[in-house]
Structure formats: structure tokens, C-alpha cells
Amino acid sequence: MALRKLRVLLATVLLGALLPVVSPAVASAATLPPGFVLLDTDTGLGPYELTDVAYLPDNSVLATGKDGRVRWLPVTGAGRTIATLAVRADEDLGLVGLAVAPDYATSRAIYLTRSINTATGFVMRLSRFTVTVDATGAPAGLAGEQPLFEVPGSFNVHGIDGVIAAADGTLWLSIGDNSDYRMVDPGALRALDVDQPYGKILHLTAGGQGVPGNPYFDAADPGSTASKVFARGFRNPFRFGLDPTLGVPVAGDVGWSNWEEVDVVQRGANHGWPCWEGSHATPGYSGLAGCAGVPNQPPIHEYTHGTGAMNGNSVTGGIVYSGSSYPAAYRGSYFFGDYVSNKIWTLRYDDQGRLTQGPENPPVFTGIGGPVKFAAAPNGDIAYADILSGNLRRLSYSAGNTPPVAKATTSTNPDTRTVSFDGSASADYDGDALGYDWDFGDGATAAGPKVSHTYAAGTTFTAKLRVRDPLGLTGEAVIAVAPGNRTPVLTLTSPGATTFAVNQPVTVGATATDAEDGALPITWTTAVRHCPSEATCHSHPGIGGTGASFSQSFTEHPDSRMEFTATVTDSAGVSTAKTYTAMPRQHRITLRGTQPAALGIPVAGGAGTAMVTEGASFDVEAAPLAIDGVSKFSGWQGGPADTTWIVTVGTTDLTLIANYATPIDQRYDADAALRAKLGAPTAAETTDGPVHYRVHANGRLYWSAETGTRYVTGPVLDKYLALGGHARYGPPSADTATTPDGVAQYNHFVANGTVSSIYSTAATGARLISGEIRKTWAALDYERGLGYPTTDELATPDGVARYNHFLKGSDAGSIYYTVATGAHAIHGEIRKKWAALDYERGLGYPTTDELGTPDGVARYNHFLKGGTAGSIYYTTATGARAIYGEIRKKWAALDYERGLGYPATDELGTPDGRGRYNHFTLGGSIYYTTATGAHMVKGEIRKRWAALGWEYSYLHYPKSDEYRTSVGYRSDFEGGYISYTSTGARDYRG
């Protein structure tokens, strides 16, 4: 138990005091691939507190602490705590999830997940907050909590986890099973129940309702739990990300017994917990009744617990690297980690969510601390929250690092010969913090973005600003300085608009004066700065000009802004320049599929959603097949049938929907007879794990990869649904059909290798037959053997057996199944006799089907009750007779019917109550008492014994079988014996 408990504790994600004792110094011993470095930012939360991080639009950072603290970390300078929320921080719980709204720049909205104590326990809550700001616009607090989702908690583990605020305004939320990790807890089964939120990934609107595209969405009740469920069957999907192309979650699900897993989560997927862990039946859980027939969506990767190179104890789901500074081998790779074993791996999967490149073996990112949340830095670098050190750590690659750009302006006070230098406009397009080094040209130096220097003597100097990033790359600007000369004053007049559409004119004005020279001429230069990502910004020089104003149409270059720079130079050579940056007026383009599919905007690097400039024309692409590998692209809603569509961005956000014809659509559209039979669809297609179905007016169509597309109709469908449908018996493996005799409608179903059937006749109704009983019925030629089932598969009162009854004409039959005996058929006169003897309570369960004797005269079944074997034999002459126990053993020892013939009676009791006996067709009997055992008596000796009054005579019961003597035959009795010789049979005392 101690080992089991330790294993479970190591696998728990945020254990507080129960965390394994790992020194924060572990993080300093990182082993990374060549060219990679770790850049650390202290969040101020300390070891074992940091739970989540998120970047704000200005590249500053919010960080959350398990204890309820929310901290803001500026790009430069000291961080500060802006709020401390009430939380329940026991074990896994606390403030654990953070997301920044996509419209944060205007709404200042963030989302937090946490656990909160109540009078009776605790609740787990997702809330929206508004970040308040100070006079400088910096985050200063949280206000206006708006709870969006709340559920009661049961245990201090596997609670509410991560939240993602998607670009389309929806929210994704993960919740663990919140069950008892210390033992097999049947409560974990609620992870499978779509009406309970535990063990789920949910997809919500910004107001907390279910998203209409969810697999179990109910338009009449969008606030129901089922309406919110996107996928189920998770133990603790602690962290997950959204694939930028597929638009579906990719999650790390924390294991229990032995397996950690990574899942590409499809709509309606059932990942099987607690019945399955990874691809394996879960010890202790898989045998629960609630796990019968539960399907499993296998992970794309799993690894075992342990301390080896490829082992770990608590997976942390990550993100796809979408930057461009890492080597090509990492671009598009999925980064994930294990916080207990201090590792990061990468893997790749295709546009159908199938693994194409497994994790590195051995891992190449080790000793990296305890990652509990992955995020993308402003330049796309992989960043993560390290709970062991409390640092935000960023993986940067030096070979792909972009040099910073130095920009400097000056202003001069000629009375004091003091020049003020300002380098704060310098930029690093990797988002790195910069260092500033000034050389004033007279031997003096200084550091910082803004500095001042007083010159002692001299007319002109050449000053330099060098800016440097943390990886050692630099940029330099040279500035002419005349300490006794006033700097020209340049004033820009910006356009009225702040953002622009493609080809919209951008007109900028400027005026310039100089104290010594008066008005100065203005020179204009332009550049288009193309920024596929902030890490890859680069300039394309444009046309220039002179004069008080300058105008140019906004660029059609995608992902670009325009820079208009006005420059003036006075007679002393001192220059001043100012730049106006015209930003694109962008709208969000979102691609969706009627089935999860790889949809991309090539101009945005293949992403499924992007901000695109108004007026721009670009193409969007849809994969020919959806993620399921079988649904076919059938056209864009409101657009072409081709997979590529060239669109022009209008004045609002735009959602483009790609239609995919599922296998259900394909069959229905191609089969006119089927359409006539089933009628029109009455609901959207539903995905439930590996099974898809759609309800029609007169039936249902089902699809799975294993069975294809099949329909179920009529009473068969009604029965199927009443018994639990595909969730219990799997999808249909055939269409509903009519038996050859025209009497019945039937269908077959398959779940985890077990085949079931439902047969419906007017006389019997619709009945289920399944598993081993069905196999025996099939072996007996289905309805042509025993007839049609008249019951569903039922359980016997003792709970040992399962059975179905059947009817063929007037002949009733049954098949009984036990683990010990298998499934066997019994029918006709033998079954009547067995029934008259109280079924299994009499002779026990059949151990054979009805068989024929070698001589062709009789039919029989054998039975077993406890350790006692019995049989019923039937002949036309004798009817059906039962024989069992010691009498049957004796009869068997005498070679069955080849000895005494067939039993002519059932086993009967003697009038005195001492004995039991059977009579047989060849004139013999077997009598049994506890004192004498079972013995055969026959022929002339039996006749003499009968003439004396059977067991009421002085001889009482036989003590031996008839045996040969030197003069004839003899049977011994309790009171004497009977001898048979040539003179006849005589009895003797003693």
C-alpha cells in the first residue's frame, strides 16, 4: 500500500505539501540540444506556488499562484501582486488556470479557474474578471467577477484544471474526475456520463453556455452539462492546448496505475477512463459493471511510470510550436512535458491526429524543472511555468535569434550643453528584453533606455547607442550631437484613422523648425514591415518624397504594417526623425468544419484562424478528408465545391464553414431506396466516441470504422435504444433485415468483439440475444434450430447463469450459459422434464447441448449441480427421465444404456424413505441408500426380490451388484442374499 500511495502521489499534479521533495536547484542542471538556452523570469511566487502564466498584448505577463495570488510581470522592472483571491489550496486545488481574452486590449478580460471553500465543502469555479489599471495603464487589480461555470467538489484532487480563451471568443475548459485516487472509486465512472461535468473537456460560449457545435448540444437546453461536453473519459486532463490547424484540443491525461497519455481530442471522443488507462484495461476498474462495453479512444502516445529515460509520473499537456526561430526539425512539433521527471519531449501528428513521429528517445530536454503549463512567448518560443523554481522559463534558440534594432533621438539644452538621449523606441522582434549601452563620443558612457550627458567642450560629437538582447546579438545607432546647438523640432500630423484597409490612402503631415536655421525641409521615407510573426519582422523599403505631407496607399502585403518616417537635418548636422506606423485594420477569419478537419489559411502559415487585413484577398484550404479519415469534403457553405476558396475580407469578422460528408451522409445521399425507407433526418449527426449516428423519421443510421454505415429501424431499433443502444451493445454490423422465412426483422451489433442480435416477430416481440448464448444459437442454425427468442438474455435467480428461451412452433427451448459450463441448448421433452424438476434448482445447469445416443434410440442432456452430475434421457417408449448422483454413477459404470438400457423412471424415493432408485428398460434397477451405496439388481434375482416385497422383505436393500459365482449369479442384500442357478432363484438369510 505504501508503494501504491507513493506512486499515486507522484502522479498527482499539484500536491502542495505532498509534492515530491525536489530542490529548485534541479532547474539549473538542464540539458538542452545545442543552440538552445533557458531564459528565466522570476514570477515572485516562489517554489511550489506557480501554476499558470499568460502573455498580455504588450508582452508583459500575468502569473497565478496556487495560494490565490495573481501577479503582473512587466517587460522590464519589478513585478507586483495585483490580487489575492480566496481559494481552497489543499493538494491539487487552488488557483490553477488562467487565460487572457482575445479582445483583452479593449475588454481587459481574463479567465481564472480555482477551488473555493463553502460551508459544506468546496466548489470548483471558472470566472471572468476585468483587470483594472493604474494611471500609466499598467495592471493594478481585478474587478467584476462573473462566474461562468461552477460544480461541487468531492476530493482534493483532479479538480477544475485549465482554461483556454480561443480566438473565436469561445472557452475551452478541462476538469478531472475528482474521485478518490487512493482506491477503486466507482464515482470515477461519472467521467463517462455526459450529464456530469467531471472527467471532461468542455467547450463553452463566452457566457458559459454550451457551444452549438458540441456533440451533445441541446438547443432547448444550452446550459445543460451535456450541451457543454466536447469529449469525455478523462482522469485528469490537467493541461491542454488547441492545435492551430485542427482547432481541437491536444491534452495530457494524468495516469493512475501505470500509464500517462497524450490525446488528440476529437469531437465526441470517449477516452475511456476509468475503464481504460491509455490503451490498457485499468486494473480494478475494468471489471466494474459500469465498464461493460465501454469503448476507448486510444492516445497518440503513452508512457509508463518509472524513473527511466522514457518514463515519467505526471504528464503536462503542451502546445504546438508555431514560431520560426527554432530549427526546422522542431517547427510544427508538439511540445509536452512531465513535471515530476523534469523532462520535455516533442512529437508530431498528421492532419487526422495520427502519430507520425514519436518522442525523442532518450529525451533531449531534461533537468528543465517542473513544467505545469506551456505557453507561446511573443515570438513563438516555448515558455512554461516551472512550479519547482517559481520561474517563467523560456526555451530560446540562439542560431535563429533576430538582432535587435537600435533607434535613438536626442534633445539639447545649449545653455547647459546637456543632451538627453532616448533609445526607448529600439525594438527586439523576438520580444526579448533589451540592454542599452551609450557611448557619448567624448569618452563617457552610460546605460539605460533614457540617459542624459553634459558635454564639457567641443562643437560636435558622434554618439552611439548599442542595444543587446539576452542571447548576445546587438544593434547599433549613430547619432550626431552638437551640444551648443538646439535640436530641430519635428512635429508629425497623423491621419485621422488609426488602422487602414488595403489600398486605403494613408496621408501623414509634418512641420520642422530649428532655433538656429528656422524652417527646415522634410524628407520622407517609407517601409513595409512584414511580420508573419513578431520574431520574423523584416522591412521592405518603399518610395520616398519631400514636402510637408506625404500620401501612399496602404499595402496589400499580408501581415504587414507601414512605416512613414519624416527626417530633418540642421546646418550643424543634427538630425531628428519621427516615424508614424500605420497598422492594418484587421478582422478575424475563422475556419470551421462540420466535422473536425485540417482547415488552413496559407497566408497565415496554415492556421485555422487569423487576423487578416480588411480588403485583402487570400485563399483558404480544406483537407479532402476530415480527421476521422472517412468524412469527405463536399464544399464550402456559401462558397465553391473546390477545397480552395479565394475570399476577400470585408468589414466584419468572418467564419467560413467547410462541409464534410460523413459516411452517413455519403450512404444516405447515394441510396434513393434508403432515403425512402428512413425518411428525412430529424436531428444533426451525433458523434459519441468512435460511433456516429443520425436520427431519421423512420430509423437511425450508424457508422463506425469497424462496421461501416448501417441502419436500424422498427421494433428492432426501439428495443436497441431501450437496452442502451450503441453505448452498451456497440453499433450495428448490418442493416435491419428480414429472415428467410419472412417471419422476423433482425439486426446484429458488435461491441469490443462481442456480437449481439435483436430479433423481432409479431408473436415474440423484439428480443436480445448476445455473446456465448448467441454463438450456441448460431451453431444450432439460428431460428431454423431452436426457433426465435421469446425473452431477452436474462439472469437466473442465483446470479450464476444467463439464458434465453426460444420457441419453434410449439416446441420450447432454452440456452443457458455459465462460466463453468459454457452455453448449452435444452429443448423439447428433455427441457419439459428439466423444468418439472425445477430447472437449475433441481439438476443444475446443462453441460451439453441435446445429443443423440450412439444407437439412435435416445436423446439426452447432461447437467451439473455443485459437484453432482445428472442427465435426462428421452426415448419414444420411456419419455424423458432424469438420472443423477450415485445412481447415475453406477449406471455409467455399467456402460450406460448398453448395460441396463434406458431409465424407465426418474430417480424415485422408496416408501420407507431410506432409498432412491431408477428402473431401466432392460429389466434392471439401481437402488441407493446411504448405508449400502448404489447397486444394480436385475433379471431373475430382481424378480425374486420383488416377489419377496422389495426392500420391505427381510432382505431389505442390495449391498452388491449381481456377480458371478461358481454355480450361477448372486446379489447380496442387507438381510441375506439371492442366488440364481439352473434350478432358479432362491433367497437365503444371513
Side-chain angles (χ1 to χ4, degrees), residues 804-830:
N804 282 79
H805 294 326
F806 301 85
L807 187 66
K808 184 178 184 183
S810 60
D811 186 8
S814 301
I815 297 175
Y816 278 73
Y817 167 78
T818 75
V819 174
T821 63
H824 295 292
I826 180 171
H827 57 96
E829 296 301 318
I830 294 178

PDB file of all heavy atoms in Angstrom, residues 804-830:
ATOM      1  N   ASN A 804     -31.585 -17.489 -22.502  1.00  0.00           N
ATOM      2  CA  ASN A 804     -32.691 -17.074 -23.363  1.00  0.00           C
ATOM      3  C   ASN A 804     -33.610 -18.266 -23.569  1.00  0.00           C
ATOM      4  O   ASN A 804     -33.136 -19.414 -23.677  1.00  0.00           O
ATOM      5  CB  ASN A 804     -32.199 -16.641 -24.750  1.00  0.00           C
ATOM      6  CG  ASN A 804     -31.607 -15.259 -24.775  1.00  0.00           C
ATOM      7  OD1 ASN A 804     -30.469 -15.085 -24.370  1.00  0.00           O
ATOM      8  ND2 ASN A 804     -32.355 -14.279 -25.273  1.00  0.00           N
ATOM      9  N   HIS A 805     -34.908 -17.996 -23.638  1.00  0.00           N
ATOM     10  CA  HIS A 805     -35.866 -19.009 -24.058  1.00  0.00           C
ATOM     11  C   HIS A 805     -36.216 -18.794 -25.531  1.00  0.00           C
ATOM     12  O   HIS A 805     -36.166 -17.663 -26.035  1.00  0.00           O
ATOM     13  CB  HIS A 805     -37.142 -18.935 -23.219  1.00  0.00           C
ATOM     14  CG  HIS A 805     -36.942 -19.280 -21.769  1.00  0.00           C
ATOM     15  ND1 HIS A 805     -36.037 -20.225 -21.341  1.00  0.00           N
ATOM     16  CD2 HIS A 805     -37.537 -18.785 -20.640  1.00  0.00           C
ATOM     17  CE1 HIS A 805     -36.079 -20.315 -20.019  1.00  0.00           C
ATOM     18  NE2 HIS A 805     -36.974 -19.447 -19.575  1.00  0.00           N
ATOM     19  N   PHE A 806     -36.606 -19.889 -26.189  1.00  0.00           N
ATOM     20  CA  PHE A 806     -36.900 -19.864 -27.625  1.00  0.00           C
ATOM     21  C   PHE A 806     -38.193 -20.629 -27.890  1.00  0.00           C
ATOM     22  O   PHE A 806     -38.654 -21.432 -27.064  1.00  0.00           O
ATOM     23  CB  PHE A 806     -35.755 -20.503 -28.423  1.00  0.00           C
ATOM     24  CG  PHE A 806     -34.437 -19.829 -28.223  1.00  0.00           C
ATOM     25  CD1 PHE A 806     -33.614 -20.166 -27.141  1.00  0.00           C
ATOM     26  CD2 PHE A 806     -34.011 -18.828 -29.075  1.00  0.00           C
ATOM     27  CE1 PHE A 806     -32.404 -19.542 -26.938  1.00  0.00           C
ATOM     28  CE2 PHE A 806     -32.802 -18.186 -28.876  1.00  0.00           C
ATOM     29  CZ  PHE A 806     -31.994 -18.540 -27.809  1.00  0.00           C
ATOM     30  N   LEU A 807     -38.747 -20.394 -29.070  1.00  0.00           N
ATOM     31  CA  LEU A 807     -39.952 -21.120 -29.464  1.00  0.00           C
ATOM     32  C   LEU A 807     -39.877 -21.395 -30.958  1.00  0.00           C
ATOM     33  O   LEU A 807     -39.668 -20.481 -31.762  1.00  0.00           O
ATOM     34  CB  LEU A 807     -41.215 -20.300 -29.153  1.00  0.00           C
ATOM     35  CG  LEU A 807     -42.537 -21.030 -29.366  1.00  0.00           C
ATOM     36  CD1 LEU A 807     -42.664 -22.191 -28.372  1.00  0.00           C
ATOM     37  CD2 LEU A 807     -43.714 -20.061 -29.202  1.00  0.00           C
ATOM     38  N   LYS A 808     -40.079 -22.666 -31.293  1.00  0.00           N
ATOM     39  CA  LYS A 808     -40.162 -23.079 -32.698  1.00  0.00           C
ATOM     40  C   LYS A 808     -41.434 -23.893 -32.837  1.00  0.00           C
ATOM     41  O   LYS A 808     -41.498 -25.033 -32.354  1.00  0.00           O
ATOM     42  CB  LYS A 808     -38.946 -23.891 -33.113  1.00  0.00           C
ATOM     43  CG  LYS A 808     -38.962 -24.249 -34.594  1.00  0.00           C
ATOM     44  CD  LYS A 808     -37.711 -25.014 -34.992  1.00  0.00           C
ATOM     45  CE  LYS A 808     -37.718 -25.277 -36.490  1.00  0.00           C
ATOM     46  NZ  LYS A 808     -36.542 -26.084 -36.905  1.00  0.00           N
ATOM     47  N   GLY A 809     -42.432 -23.309 -33.484  1.00  0.00           N
ATOM     48  CA  GLY A 809     -43.729 -23.959 -33.493  1.00  0.00           C
ATOM     49  C   GLY A 809     -44.260 -24.003 -32.075  1.00  0.00           C
ATOM     50  O   GLY A 809     -44.411 -22.985 -31.412  1.00  0.00           O
ATOM     51  N   SER A 810     -44.523 -25.232 -31.600  1.00  0.00           N
ATOM     52  CA  SER A 810     -44.967 -25.388 -30.209  1.00  0.00           C
ATOM     53  C   SER A 810     -43.855 -25.909 -29.321  1.00  0.00           C
ATOM     54  O   SER A 810     -44.082 -26.220 -28.152  1.00  0.00           O
ATOM     55  CB  SER A 810     -46.158 -26.355 -30.161  1.00  0.00           C
ATOM     56  OG  SER A 810     -45.782 -27.633 -30.673  1.00  0.00           O
ATOM     57  N   ASP A 811     -42.655 -26.029 -29.862  1.00  0.00           N
ATOM     58  CA  ASP A 811     -41.523 -26.614 -29.131  1.00  0.00           C
ATOM     59  C   ASP A 811     -40.721 -25.506 -28.456  1.00  0.00           C
ATOM     60  O   ASP A 811     -40.099 -24.682 -29.133  1.00  0.00           O
ATOM     61  CB  ASP A 811     -40.645 -27.419 -30.089  1.00  0.00           C
ATOM     62  CG  ASP A 811     -39.544 -28.179 -29.364  1.00  0.00           C
ATOM     63  OD1 ASP A 811     -39.563 -28.198 -28.120  1.00  0.00           O
ATOM     64  OD2 ASP A 811     -38.669 -28.742 -30.038  1.00  0.00           O
ATOM     65  N   ALA A 812     -40.735 -25.483 -27.131  1.00  0.00           N
ATOM     66  CA  ALA A 812     -39.962 -24.502 -26.381  1.00  0.00           C
ATOM     67  C   ALA A 812     -38.540 -24.996 -26.170  1.00  0.00           C
ATOM     68  O   ALA A 812     -38.300 -26.183 -25.954  1.00  0.00           O
ATOM     69  CB  ALA A 812     -40.621 -24.222 -25.033  1.00  0.00           C
ATOM     70  N   GLY A 813     -37.596 -24.090 -26.231  1.00  0.00           N
ATOM     71  CA  GLY A 813     -36.197 -24.426 -25.983  1.00  0.00           C
ATOM     72  C   GLY A 813     -35.535 -23.318 -25.193  1.00  0.00           C
ATOM     73  O   GLY A 813     -36.093 -22.232 -25.019  1.00  0.00           O
ATOM     74  N   SER A 814     -34.342 -23.607 -24.700  1.00  0.00           N
ATOM     75  CA  SER A 814     -33.575 -22.613 -23.946  1.00  0.00           C
ATOM     76  C   SER A 814     -32.103 -22.838 -24.207  1.00  0.00           C
ATOM     77  O   SER A 814     -31.667 -23.941 -24.561  1.00  0.00           O
ATOM     78  CB  SER A 814     -33.835 -22.725 -22.431  1.00  0.00           C
ATOM     79  OG  SER A 814     -35.195 -22.544 -22.119  1.00  0.00           O
ATOM     80  N   ILE A 815     -31.326 -21.765 -24.022  1.00  0.00           N
ATOM     81  CA  ILE A 815     -29.864 -21.872 -23.956  1.00  0.00           C
ATOM     82  C   ILE A 815     -29.447 -21.223 -22.649  1.00  0.00           C
ATOM     83  O   ILE A 815     -29.814 -20.067 -22.372  1.00  0.00           O
ATOM     84  CB  ILE A 815     -29.171 -21.194 -25.143  1.00  0.00           C
ATOM     85  CG1 ILE A 815     -29.561 -21.877 -26.457  1.00  0.00           C
ATOM     86  CG2 ILE A 815     -27.649 -21.235 -24.967  1.00  0.00           C
ATOM     87  CD1 ILE A 815     -29.011 -21.184 -27.693  1.00  0.00           C
ATOM     88  N   TYR A 816     -28.701 -21.985 -21.852  1.00  0.00           N
ATOM     89  CA  TYR A 816     -28.190 -21.488 -20.569  1.00  0.00           C
ATOM     90  C   TYR A 816     -26.670 -21.400 -20.650  1.00  0.00           C
ATOM     91  O   TYR A 816     -26.016 -22.289 -21.212  1.00  0.00           O
ATOM     92  CB  TYR A 816     -28.591 -22.423 -19.427  1.00  0.00           C
ATOM     93  CG  TYR A 816     -30.004 -22.177 -18.922  1.00  0.00           C
ATOM     94  CD1 TYR A 816     -31.109 -22.565 -19.675  1.00  0.00           C
ATOM     95  CD2 TYR A 816     -30.224 -21.552 -17.705  1.00  0.00           C
ATOM     96  CE1 TYR A 816     -32.395 -22.328 -19.224  1.00  0.00           C
ATOM     97  CE2 TYR A 816     -31.518 -21.310 -17.245  1.00  0.00           C
ATOM     98  CZ  TYR A 816     -32.594 -21.707 -18.000  1.00  0.00           C
ATOM     99  OH  TYR A 816     -33.859 -21.473 -17.545  1.00  0.00           O
ATOM    100  N   TYR A 817     -26.146 -20.331 -20.051  1.00  0.00           N
ATOM    101  CA  TYR A 817     -24.702 -20.124 -20.059  1.00  0.00           C
ATOM    102  C   TYR A 817     -24.202 -19.850 -18.649  1.00  0.00           C
ATOM    103  O   TYR A 817     -24.776 -19.034 -17.926  1.00  0.00           O
ATOM    104  CB  TYR A 817     -24.321 -18.937 -20.935  1.00  0.00           C
ATOM    105  CG  TYR A 817     -22.890 -18.498 -20.727  1.00  0.00           C
ATOM    106  CD1 TYR A 817     -21.833 -19.202 -21.300  1.00  0.00           C
ATOM    107  CD2 TYR A 817     -22.583 -17.391 -19.922  1.00  0.00           C
ATOM    108  CE1 TYR A 817     -20.518 -18.819 -21.088  1.00  0.00           C
ATOM    109  CE2 TYR A 817     -21.267 -16.997 -19.704  1.00  0.00           C
ATOM    110  CZ  TYR A 817     -20.238 -17.717 -20.282  1.00  0.00           C
ATOM    111  OH  TYR A 817     -18.938 -17.351 -20.066  1.00  0.00           O
ATOM    112  N   THR A 818     -23.149 -20.557 -18.263  1.00  0.00           N
ATOM    113  CA  THR A 818     -22.387 -20.210 -17.060  1.00  0.00           C
ATOM    114  C   THR A 818     -20.917 -20.233 -17.431  1.00  0.00           C
ATOM    115  O   THR A 818     -20.521 -20.848 -18.430  1.00  0.00           O
ATOM    116  CB  THR A 818     -22.620 -21.191 -15.897  1.00  0.00           C
ATOM    117  OG1 THR A 818     -21.919 -22.420 -16.154  1.00  0.00           O
ATOM    118  CG2 THR A 818     -24.099 -21.476 -15.682  1.00  0.00           C
ATOM    119  N   VAL A 819     -20.129 -19.557 -16.635  1.00  0.00           N
ATOM    120  CA  VAL A 819     -18.688 -19.551 -16.891  1.00  0.00           C
ATOM    121  C   VAL A 819     -18.134 -20.959 -16.831  1.00  0.00           C
ATOM    122  O   VAL A 819     -17.261 -21.357 -17.618  1.00  0.00           O
ATOM    123  CB  VAL A 819     -17.974 -18.643 -15.874  1.00  0.00           C
ATOM    124  CG1 VAL A 819     -16.465 -18.729 -16.038  1.00  0.00           C
ATOM    125  CG2 VAL A 819     -18.457 -17.204 -16.015  1.00  0.00           C
ATOM    126  N   ALA A 820     -18.665 -21.778 -15.912  1.00  0.00           N
ATOM    127  CA  ALA A 820     -18.134 -23.128 -15.719  1.00  0.00           C
ATOM    128  C   ALA A 820     -18.563 -24.079 -16.826  1.00  0.00           C
ATOM    129  O   ALA A 820     -17.780 -24.945 -17.241  1.00  0.00           O
ATOM    130  CB  ALA A 820     -18.579 -23.676 -14.364  1.00  0.00           C
ATOM    131  N   THR A 821     -19.812 -23.944 -17.318  1.00  0.00           N
ATOM    132  CA  THR A 821     -20.346 -24.944 -18.254  1.00  0.00           C
ATOM    133  C   THR A 821     -20.327 -24.501 -19.693  1.00  0.00           C
ATOM    134  O   THR A 821     -20.452 -25.322 -20.600  1.00  0.00           O
ATOM    135  CB  THR A 821     -21.799 -25.276 -17.882  1.00  0.00           C
ATOM    136  OG1 THR A 821     -22.598 -24.083 -18.018  1.00  0.00           O
ATOM    137  CG2 THR A 821     -21.899 -25.803 -16.463  1.00  0.00           C
ATOM    138  N   GLY A 822     -20.194 -23.195 -19.954  1.00  0.00           N
ATOM    139  CA  GLY A 822     -20.374 -22.690 -21.296  1.00  0.00           C
ATOM    140  C   GLY A 822     -21.856 -22.546 -21.596  1.00  0.00           C
ATOM    141  O   GLY A 822     -22.705 -22.620 -20.706  1.00  0.00           O
ATOM    142  N   ALA A 823     -22.178 -22.344 -22.867  1.00  0.00           N
ATOM    143  CA  ALA A 823     -23.567 -22.152 -23.286  1.00  0.00           C
ATOM    144  C   ALA A 823     -24.089 -23.428 -23.933  1.00  0.00           C
ATOM    145  O   ALA A 823     -23.452 -23.961 -24.856  1.00  0.00           O
ATOM    146  CB  ALA A 823     -23.667 -20.986 -24.265  1.00  0.00           C
ATOM    147  N   HIS A 824     -25.254 -23.925 -23.455  1.00  0.00           N
ATOM    148  CA  HIS A 824     -25.803 -25.176 -23.979  1.00  0.00           C
ATOM    149  C   HIS A 824     -27.312 -25.065 -24.139  1.00  0.00           C
ATOM    150  O   HIS A 824     -28.002 -24.427 -23.346  1.00  0.00           O
ATOM    151  CB  HIS A 824     -25.450 -26.348 -23.055  1.00  0.00           C
ATOM    152  CG  HIS A 824     -23.984 -26.601 -23.018  1.00  0.00           C
ATOM    153  ND1 HIS A 824     -23.283 -27.079 -24.092  1.00  0.00           N
ATOM    154  CD2 HIS A 824     -23.063 -26.417 -22.025  1.00  0.00           C
ATOM    155  CE1 HIS A 824     -22.008 -27.192 -23.778  1.00  0.00           C
ATOM    156  NE2 HIS A 824     -21.840 -26.788 -22.516  1.00  0.00           N
ATOM    157  N   ALA A 825     -27.788 -25.744 -25.181  1.00  0.00           N
ATOM    158  CA  ALA A 825     -29.203 -25.718 -25.523  1.00  0.00           C
ATOM    159  C   ALA A 825     -29.932 -26.913 -24.915  1.00  0.00           C
ATOM    160  O   ALA A 825     -29.386 -28.020 -24.820  1.00  0.00           O
ATOM    161  CB  ALA A 825     -29.374 -25.737 -27.040  1.00  0.00           C
ATOM    162  N   ILE A 826     -31.180 -26.656 -24.531  1.00  0.00           N
ATOM    163  CA  ILE A 826     -32.037 -27.717 -23.999  1.00  0.00           C
ATOM    164  C   ILE A 826     -33.449 -27.416 -24.480  1.00  0.00           C
ATOM    165  O   ILE A 826     -33.897 -26.269 -24.440  1.00  0.00           O
ATOM    166  CB  ILE A 826     -31.944 -27.772 -22.451  1.00  0.00           C
ATOM    167  CG1 ILE A 826     -32.840 -28.875 -21.904  1.00  0.00           C
ATOM    168  CG2 ILE A 826     -32.232 -26.436 -21.817  1.00  0.00           C
ATOM    169  CD1 ILE A 826     -32.618 -29.127 -20.415  1.00  0.00           C
ATOM    170  N   HIS A 827     -34.156 -28.467 -24.985  1.00  0.00           N
ATOM    171  CA  HIS A 827     -35.464 -28.180 -25.560  1.00  0.00           C
ATOM    172  C   HIS A 827     -36.325 -29.440 -25.544  1.00  0.00           C
ATOM    173  O   HIS A 827     -35.912 -30.513 -25.081  1.00  0.00           O
ATOM    174  CB  HIS A 827     -35.324 -27.638 -26.983  1.00  0.00           C
ATOM    175  CG  HIS A 827     -34.589 -28.545 -27.930  1.00  0.00           C
ATOM    176  ND1 HIS A 827     -35.220 -29.418 -28.773  1.00  0.00           N
ATOM    177  CD2 HIS A 827     -33.256 -28.698 -28.146  1.00  0.00           C
ATOM    178  CE1 HIS A 827     -34.318 -30.072 -29.489  1.00  0.00           C
ATOM    179  NE2 HIS A 827     -33.109 -29.655 -29.115  1.00  0.00           N
ATOM    180  N   GLY A 828     -37.537 -29.290 -26.037  1.00  0.00           N
ATOM    181  CA  GLY A 828     -38.441 -30.417 -26.188  1.00  0.00           C
ATOM    182  C   GLY A 828     -38.786 -31.102 -24.884  1.00  0.00           C
ATOM    183  O   GLY A 828     -38.932 -30.494 -23.819  1.00  0.00           O
ATOM    184  N   GLU A 829     -38.919 -32.459 -24.955  1.00  0.00           N
ATOM    185  CA  GLU A 829     -39.338 -33.254 -23.802  1.00  0.00           C
ATOM    186  C   GLU A 829     -38.301 -33.224 -22.690  1.00  0.00           C
ATOM    187  O   GLU A 829     -38.646 -33.259 -21.504  1.00  0.00           O
ATOM    188  CB  GLU A 829     -39.616 -34.697 -24.240  1.00  0.00           C
ATOM    189  CG  GLU A 829     -40.774 -34.838 -25.214  1.00  0.00           C
ATOM    190  CD  GLU A 829     -42.074 -34.314 -24.628  1.00  0.00           C
ATOM    191  OE1 GLU A 829     -42.351 -34.580 -23.434  1.00  0.00           O
ATOM    192  OE2 GLU A 829     -42.811 -33.607 -25.340  1.00  0.00           O
ATOM    193  N   ILE A 830     -37.039 -33.153 -23.069  1.00  0.00           N
ATOM    194  CA  ILE A 830     -35.985 -33.077 -22.045  1.00  0.00           C
ATOM    195  C   ILE A 830     -36.114 -31.778 -21.262  1.00  0.00           C
ATOM    196  O   ILE A 830     -36.018 -31.752 -20.035  1.00  0.00           O
ATOM    197  CB  ILE A 830     -34.595 -33.217 -22.682  1.00  0.00           C
ATOM    198  CG1 ILE A 830     -34.435 -34.633 -23.269  1.00  0.00           C
ATOM    199  CG2 ILE A 830     -33.493 -32.908 -21.668  1.00  0.00           C
ATOM    200  CD1 ILE A 830     -33.127 -34.860 -23.966  1.00  0.00           C
TER     201      ILE A 830
END
